[in-house]
Amino acid sequence: MTDLKIIGSEEWCVFENLGIPAIKARVDSGAKTSSIQATNIKIIMKGTQEWVKFEVSPLQENRSIAIPCQARLVDRRMVKSSSGISEERLVVRTPVTIGEDTFEIEVTLANRDTMEFRMLLGREAINERYIVNSALNYQMQDFDDNLVNKLYAPYFKEKTGLKIALLASNPNLYSNKRIIEAAEARGHEIVFLNVEHAYMKLDAHSPEIRYRGGNILNAFDAVIPRIKPSVTFYGCALIRQFDNLGVYCQNTAEAITQSRDKLFASQLFSKNDIHIPITGFAKSPMDTKDLIKMVNGAPLIIKLLESTQGKGVVLAETNKAAESVINAFKSVNTNILVQEFIKEANGQDIRCFVVNGKVVASMQRQAEKGEFRANIHQGGKASIIRITSEERKLAQKAAKVLNLAVAGVDIIRSNKGPLLLEVNSSPGLEGIENATGKDIANEMIVAIEKKLRFSL
């Protein structure tokens, strides 16, 4: 046992057969099998043998490098993650070089994107070869930054486009997929960032934003925020941090916050002579009767201050029903707006999609029979519409007042002319792209290019 070499808790590994010149591994004697970061995993047949094709991004701090690999499949194993969830992983066998030693090991292929290390070296690989001194690192061979950059120089892509971050929660949403497609189609690199996986360092000398696993996010030209209402506070804090780092944010934190506060937004619209349905707001239940009277009585609309997609919006058809609903909301300390009901709109509204001060598409939404909300998420049907110049100016002015570069502006036609209902800072693309046939995702990317004076 005395001739065993001492290794540290972190070591560099080389996989010559896989074409990986250097990968940093966490040495973990608690794990039986070694594992390596792998994506785009596909099983292929070579004669009668099963092989695996996969891609490895060996550098935690540069996810744009992906090395295509192939190895023979030797096993399928159920592996329990640190969170206790079991999943089947493919196992390959390949030579590894650590310092001067080269030997074969088994590695499971796993998505380690959220882990600090792209590889984990388990006890099967180190048994009877090494003794681990957890107080030390890189005892076998150390790769400094210059050497790593030299080894990976052939893999670095020449920058031909912008580097854009899409800051959202769900990469599978239609809108997010379309934005990624549009950016890539125009030659840009776009990365999906989950709002809740990012965190920040506040410091006068070196402020940072990091992503799960410690990856520092410092190379973006632009951020497209698609923040869902439940993470508005945290999402806007991240947008402000990106702004502090000199990154262009397509919608600012201030603009998003203002648009999400329906009361504040309504006050801004009134101040800037933007016509909205008569709206009331009160704190005390003692004022309920006069509040109802003030907005021309029932039927009337009652809205939660932070509602979206038509949720938290109620139609009260009689004064008595309105009183009951308003007082019920107030009894649980929920802030609401009371708004006149525009009967002549007949369950229809207009969604104008504004990008950099220009209406790029418009659709009419018709509510389902028996429903007053025309939102697509509430079953509304969308169709293309030709808007009037007055409606166009209203949409443009509303987006400008809130300082939103991208906005979904909802307008309703009334006997008094067009009225502004509300402005959405993360408008969905599916309904309006399908209704109009327009490539709105492309418009959003082109708008970023113009702002950054980028030309292909």
Side-chain angles (χ1 to χ4, degrees), residues 262 304 306-314 373 375 377-378:
K262 286 187 168 54
L304 292 178
E306 291 192 351
S307 59
T308 182
Q309 297 175 351
K311 295 167 189 169
V313 181
V314 178
R373 296 167 295 183
N375 306 67
H377 287 87
Q378 299 299 330

Side-chain angles (χ1 to χ4, degrees), residues 166-180 192-197 211 226-228 231:
L166 175 58
L167 189 65
S169 295
N170 183 355
N172 298 315
L173 284 183
Y174 174 93
S175 301
N176 295 336
K177 283 161 120 173
R178 284 287 299 112
I179 289 166
I180 289 169
F192 182 89
L193 298 178
N194 188 317
V195 176
E196 292 167 78
H197 292 176
Y211 204 58
R226 304 280 302 175
I227 310 294
K228 64 182 181 181
V231 292

Side-chain angles (χ1 to χ4, degrees), residues 3-71:
D3 59 346
L4 297 185
K5 294 177 182 176
I6 294 174
I7 60 170
S9 62
E10 297 169 18
E11 292 291 344
W12 285 95
C13 298
V14 176
F15 290 91
E16 202 171 313
N17 284 26
L18 297 179
I20 299 170
I23 185 168
K24 201 185 287 183
R26 160 76 76 191
V27 178
D28 185 359
S29 57
K32 184 184 176 188
T33 314
S34 303
S35 71
I36 196 166
Q37 188 275 344
T39 54
N40 298 328
I41 301 168
K42 291 189 182 90
I43 295 174
I44 58 169
M45 295 302 294
K46 286 195 176 184
T48 57
Q49 291 183 340
E50 283 186 311
W51 279 59
V52 190
K53 282 176 79 171
F54 55 98
E55 288 181 354
V56 174
S57 296
L59 302 181
Q60 178 72 31
E61 61 280 4
N62 192 332
R63 287 179 290 169
S64 66
I65 292 175
I67 296 176
C69 304
Q70 282 190 32

Side-chain angles (χ1 to χ4, degrees), residues 30-304:
K32 184 184 176 188
T33 314
S34 303
S35 71
I36 196 166
Q37 188 275 344
T39 54
N40 298 328
I41 301 168
K42 291 189 182 90
I43 295 174
I44 58 169
M45 295 302 294
K46 286 195 176 184
T48 57
Q49 291 183 340
E50 283 186 311
W51 279 59
V52 190
K53 282 176 79 171
F54 55 98
E55 288 181 354
V56 174
S57 296
L59 302 181
Q60 178 72 31
E61 61 280 4
N62 192 332
R63 287 179 290 169
S64 66
I65 292 175
I67 296 176
C69 304
Q70 282 190 32
R72 191 166 71 84
L73 179 66
V74 296
D75 200 4
R76 291 174 169 85
R77 283 184 205 152
M78 294 304 293
V79 176
K80 191 176 277 191
S81 69
S82 55
S83 56
I85 299 166
S86 293
E87 61 176 4
E88 186 184 70
R89 287 195 196 155
L90 303 181
V91 183
V92 298
R93 192 167 179 82
T94 184
V96 63
T97 300
I98 303 173
E100 296 176 354
D101 305 329
T102 301
F103 50 91
E104 281 207 336
I105 63 167
E106 289 186 350
V107 288
T108 63
L109 306 180
N111 188 339
R112 299 180 57 83
D113 267 343
T114 59
M115 306 296 180
E116 189 179 352
F117 288 85
R118 315 303 261 175
M119 184 183 165
L120 186 139
L121 196 66
R123 65 175 177 272
E124 278 184 343
I126 59 180
N127 270 357
E128 298 181 16
R129 289 191 179 98
Y130 306 108
I131 294 172
V132 182
N133 184 337
S134 59
L136 302 173
N137 287 326
Y138 316 122
Q139 294 302 291
M140 303 299 289
Q141 185 178 5
D142 199 0
F143 287 71
D144 63 22
D145 289 346
N146 289 335
L147 180 55
V148 171
N149 288 337
K150 190 176 173 184
L151 290 168
Y152 281 101
Y155 300 97
F156 285 110
K157 293 174 188 168
E158 191 179 334
K159 188 174 177 182
T160 54
L162 297 170
K163 185 163 182 185
I164 301 170
L166 175 58
L167 189 65
S169 295
N170 183 355
N172 298 315
L173 284 183
Y174 174 93
S175 301
N176 295 336
K177 283 161 120 173
R178 284 287 299 112
I179 289 166
I180 289 169
E181 281 171 15
E184 288 176 344
R186 293 190 65 81
H188 305 301
E189 182 188 344
I190 185 160
V191 176
F192 182 89
L193 298 178
N194 188 317
V195 176
E196 292 167 78
H197 292 176
Y199 52 102
M200 64 197 101
K201 172 189 168 192
L202 308 175
D203 175 63
H205 299 293
S206 57
E208 288 176 353
I209 296 180
R210 295 192 176 209
Y211 204 58
R212 183 166 286 177
N215 190 15
I216 298 172
L217 306 176
N218 60 358
F220 292 111
D221 299 298
V223 170
I224 302 172
R226 304 280 302 175
I227 310 294
K228 64 182 181 181
S230 61
V231 292
T232 300
F233 177 81
Y234 190 67
C236 285
L238 284 170
I239 295 163
R240 281 192 296 273
Q241 186 80 343
F242 274 117
D243 183 58
N244 291 344
L245 294 168
V247 181
Y248 168 67
C249 300
Q250 194 164 35
N251 275 341
T252 66
E254 184 188 19
I256 293 167
T257 304
Q258 287 179 170
S259 70
R260 292 272 163 91
D261 184 338
K262 286 187 168 54
L263 177 61
F264 184 36
S266 298
Q267 289 174 315
L268 282 174
F269 299 145
S270 297
K271 182 183 175 183
N272 288 277
D273 196 32
I274 292 174
H275 294 210
I276 62 173
I278 299 166
T279 302
F281 178 76
K283 188 71 180 163
S284 168
M286 302 293 288
D287 303 313
T288 301
K289 278 187 166 64
D290 194 43
L291 190 66
I292 292 167
K293 191 177 169 187
M294 193 170 71
V295 298
N296 295 332
L300 55 80
I301 304 291
I302 299 158
K303 286 183 178 180
L304 292 178

